Amino acid sequence: MSVLAVNKNNFQKEVLESDRPVLVDFWAGWCGPCKSISPIIDEIAAENSEIKVCKVNIDEEQELASKFHIMSIPTILVIKGGKVVNKSVGIKPKNQILELL
């Protein structure tokens, strides 16, 4: 599967109501570490059909960033059943991101 860009209009449906675990990457275009981790996020999405992978651009979706208390980026949340079950801040290798799931 590919990475799905989410915003305040589709976040409820795509993330909180998902029947699969969701990995959400909070990022921004100006963020160097976000650019570094982006290919890893894309790989995880392509290799794992049992999870949904989404990205939230914090510059465009400040309301979502605030709701989830995003203070630094990149921040990755794992959401299952509408609840945040894991969180990671900063660059992590692929295996550590997968361990969040």
Side-chain angles (χ1 to χ4, degrees):
M1 296 195 68
S2 60
V3 175
L4 177 66
V6 292
N7 57 46
K8 65 182 178 189
N9 297 322
N10 66 355
F11 193 88
Q12 179 75 31
K13 178 181 180 284
E14 296 294 345
V15 178
L16 299 179
E17 296 174 4
S18 176
D19 57 353
R20 296 179 284 163
V22 185
L23 186 149
V24 184
D25 175 22
F26 286 84
W27 69 285
W30 49 263
C31 169
C34 297
K35 292 177 184 178
S36 297
I37 203 170
S38 186
I40 297 170
I41 300 299
D42 293 343
E43 273 182 39
I44 290 171
E47 296 170 357
N48 297 281
S49 60
E50 70 278 359
I51 64 169
K52 186 183 280 190
V53 179
C54 301
K55 288 189 176 209
V56 175
N57 182 326
I58 65 158
D59 287 335
E60 297 171 1
E61 298 299 328
Q62 294 176 0
E63 190 177 314
L64 284 175
S66 177
K67 178 180 179 179
F68 289 95
H69 310 286
I70 305 302
M71 304 303 276
S72 299
I73 52 173
T75 293
I76 295 172
L77 300 181
V78 176
I79 298 176
K80 295 180 182 177
K83 305 251 187 271
V84 176
V85 297
N86 226 330
K87 179 178 181 175
S88 172
V89 178
I91 296 179
K92 301 282 191 288
K94 184 177 174 181
N95 65 320
Q96 287 184 12
I97 295 171
L98 290 171
E99 287 173 8
L100 296 172
L101 298 162

